[in-house]
Amino acid sequence: RETFVGHQVLEIIPRNEEQIQNLEQLEAQDHLEIDFWRSPTVPEQTVHVRIPFSSLQDVKIFLESQGIAYSVMIKDLQVLLDEENEEMLMNQRQER
Amino acid sequence: SSGFNFGAYHSLDEIFQEMDQLAAAYPTLVSKLQIGSSFENRPMNVLKFSTGGNKPAIWLDAGIHSREWVTQATALWTANKIASDYGKDPSITSLLDTMDIFLLPVTNPDGYVFSQTKNRMWRKTRSKIPGSLCFGVDPNRNWDAGFGGPGASNNPCSDSYHGPSANSEVEVQSIVEFIKSHGNIKAFITLHSYSQLLMYPYGYKCTKLDDFDELNILANSAAQALTSLYGTNYKVGPICSIIYQASGGSIDWSYDYGIKYSFAFELRDTGLHGFLLPANQIIPTAEETWLGLKTIMEHVRDHPY
């Protein structure tokens, strides 16, 4: 099963159209393998993006260089996935 | 009576077993139909709620994007709600005395299994793309509505790949064929997550539709009903203006096909969990969504066309 160890989900709030375009440029860079959970649409609307550990530094540098503010929404995705999996297994045991 | 926990996430097999259980528990109201098979040959199982006769119908589907697990879970809770409320809740009783409901709880069964066993973030189908190393098509970019236009990717490796042609995905084609062969579907409602949105056409173009005023008022009433339970904040509007232009979407196809009451819900996440909505939020999500769905279904019942 594919793991998501070290993947982070960032919350970004683009301030203007230019920052939205910057985020669209980021989205187009296939090699970063980033996954927009909520895509950039209009200024001031929240964007959520999952970033693999290997691309984190590049993406954060890009955002900072463009003056785009962000915060970490999920620090390590795998931790949440492990919790989810454990809960599913527990529920299955209880139902049986 | 089956001991099924509606407040937990389940495997595809468990969901199918519970669908059988519902059909067995309410034999005069609920039946299971297979409307096709997925690319990997899993059944496309639909629950039909009918009190008999040839009635106009409402179509509901969930989980076209496989990783949005709260939608499949919400659909199953909804199925149980419809079945158990018939004969008790006057609104549901009157609805089912006037119309049938078809509910497809797992629209993308291959993707759902893949998201549970291989890649939790999978959202596409699992079809093989000739000439590409990548798998799968975004089934909500594959409908024959502005196919291949803005807001869909022609890169098979993209999460929003539209596919080689409209209806290339057997999961989409199966629904299209079913809707066409039924011939009397009056509402088409699809459940997605997350972002808390209630949308109506169009997504492939940004023009105002002929029924804008009616659909906008209805969607706002539905969102208000939904919000009344737990205060979950919804935005309402056409896909193009409240998310972005996106072509090949299901409700654009259904509206253009003549199904006036075409809506897409984006259910919770209100708490920064994204697609990983904790299981303890399934039932609250389903409960509030039900109020929105009911508002739309009552309007459809009361406004025949």
Side-chain angles (χ1 to χ4, degrees):
Chain A
R1 190 172 188 185
E2 191 169 322
T3 70
F4 294 86
V5 174
H7 288 220
Q8 291 192 348
V9 180
L10 301 187
E11 180 170 274
I12 302 165
I13 303 180
R15 283 199 307 266
N16 50 43
E17 286 295 339
E18 191 189 343
Q19 292 195 344
I20 288 174
Q21 282 169 14
N22 290 333
L23 292 172
E24 285 169 351
Q25 280 172 17
L26 198 64
E27 192 172 14
Q29 296 189 41
D30 292 339
H31 70 281
L32 294 173
E33 295 181 331
I34 60 177
D35 169 18
F36 275 86
W37 285 8
R38 290 175 78 160
S39 292
T41 50
V42 291
E44 305 301 333
Q45 193 134 304
T46 311
V47 172
H48 293 162
V49 58
R50 174 176 62 84
I51 302 161
F53 180 73
S54 57
S55 301
L56 264 180
Q57 202 178 2
D58 288 350
V59 172
K60 286 180 176 176
I61 288 170
F62 175 83
L63 293 174
E64 284 157 18
S65 70
Q66 302 297 321
I68 302 173
Y70 67 89
S71 59
V72 177
M73 172 176 147
I74 296 175
K75 197 177 171 189
D76 186 342
L77 190 60
Q78 191 59 40
V79 173
L80 292 189
L81 292 175
D82 290 343
E83 284 171 10
E84 183 182 72
N85 200 38
E86 210 167 292
E87 194 180 30
M88 281 179 78
L89 290 172
M90 199 175 75
N91 282 326
Q92 279 170 357
R93 279 196 295 269
Q94 277 175 356
E95 280 175 51
R96 282 198 197 106
Chain B
S1 61
S2 65
F4 187 83
N5 180 5
F6 289 98
Y9 293 117
H10 291 274
S11 69
L12 185 68
D13 287 344
E14 288 164 346
I15 291 174
F16 284 170
Q17 279 166 24
E18 182 56 21
M19 289 168 71
D20 287 334
Q21 168 64 26
L22 281 170
Y26 301 94
T28 56
L29 182 67
V30 186
S31 54
K32 191 180 84 174
L33 316 173
Q34 186 179 342
I35 63 161
S37 299
S38 66
F39 182 80
E40 292 175 341
N41 212 28
R42 296 186 174 89
M44 303 275 292
N45 285 330
V46 169
L47 288 173
K48 178 182 181 182
F49 300 84
S50 176
T51 55
N54 288 319
K55 297 191 178 83
I58 291 170
W59 171 267
L60 297 171
D61 66 68
I64 197 168
H65 290 144
S66 48
R67 66 188 180 182
E68 298 169 5
W69 287 4
V70 74
T71 62
Q72 293 93 339
T74 293
L76 211 53
W77 181 95
T78 303
N80 187 55
K81 180 74 176 162
I82 295 169
S84 58
D85 275 9
Y86 178 73
K88 294 177 192 158
D89 176 339
S91 165
I92 291 306
T93 307
S94 144
L95 179 71
L96 286 171
D97 287 343
T98 314
M99 306 189 80
D100 294 340
I101 299 174
F102 292 94
L103 171 61
L104 175 62
V106 188
T107 305
N108 177 3
D110 296 346
Y112 188 64
V113 170
F114 199 75
S115 74
Q116 292 211 338
T117 55
K118 298 283 190 330
N119 177 349
R120 176 67 181 88
M121 290 301 126
W122 193 257
R123 76 177 227 141
K124 300 196 284 182
T125 61
R126 289 296 300 163
S127 57
K128 180 77 190 88
I129 309 304
S132 171
L133 291 174
C134 295
F135 286 80
V137 165
D138 181 341
N140 204 36
R141 299 290 184 279
N142 190 243
W143 300 68
D144 193 6
F147 177 81
S153 173
N154 60 8
N155 174 3
C157 297
S158 163
D159 263 347
S160 57
Y161 175 49
H162 50 55
S165 58
N167 298 346
S168 63
E169 300 315 284
V170 66
E171 296 84 353
V172 171
Q173 179 65 19
S174 299
I175 300 172
V176 168
E177 279 174 8
F178 176 77
I179 301 275
K180 286 182 173 176
S181 66
H182 185 281
N184 204 10
I185 301 285
K186 297 299 184 186
F188 185 108
I189 303 169
T190 185
L191 301 181
H192 292 238
S193 74
Y194 63 108
S195 293
Q196 296 97 240
L197 306 171
L198 179 47
M199 297 173 290
Y200 45 86
Y202 284 110
Y204 74 87
K205 57 185 176 183
C206 296
T207 51
K208 204 171 168 180
L209 41 76
D210 293 344
D211 300 298
F212 176 87
D213 289 340
E214 184 184 1
L215 298 196
N216 189 49
I217 290 168
L218 174 55
N220 274 292
S221 304
Q224 215 173 354
L226 187 157
T227 302
S228 69
L229 193 59
Y230 296 114
T232 306
N233 190 28
Y234 261 59
K235 272 178 69 181
V236 173
I239 297 169
C240 181
S241 55
I242 64 168
I243 307 191
Y244 39 70
Q245 203 170 357
S247 58
S250 65
I251 66 166
D252 284 358
W253 172 79
S254 58
Y255 184 81
D256 280 348
Y257 184 65
I259 303 173
K260 177 164 71 166
Y261 298 112
S262 291
F263 294 97
F265 283 77
E266 293 276 358
L267 311 185
R268 291 186 185 188
D269 167 40
T270 58
L272 302 182
H273 299 281
F275 300 112
L276 306 174
L277 196 69
N280 63 13
Q281 287 194 47
I282 293 172
I283 291 176
T285 303
E287 287 172 336
E288 68 187 11
T289 304
W290 173 243
L291 299 181
L293 284 174
K294 212 162 75 148
T295 302
I296 293 173
M297 292 195 295
E298 286 165 353
H299 183 92
V300 177
R301 176 197 62 199
D302 298 338
H303 295 81
Y305 66 96

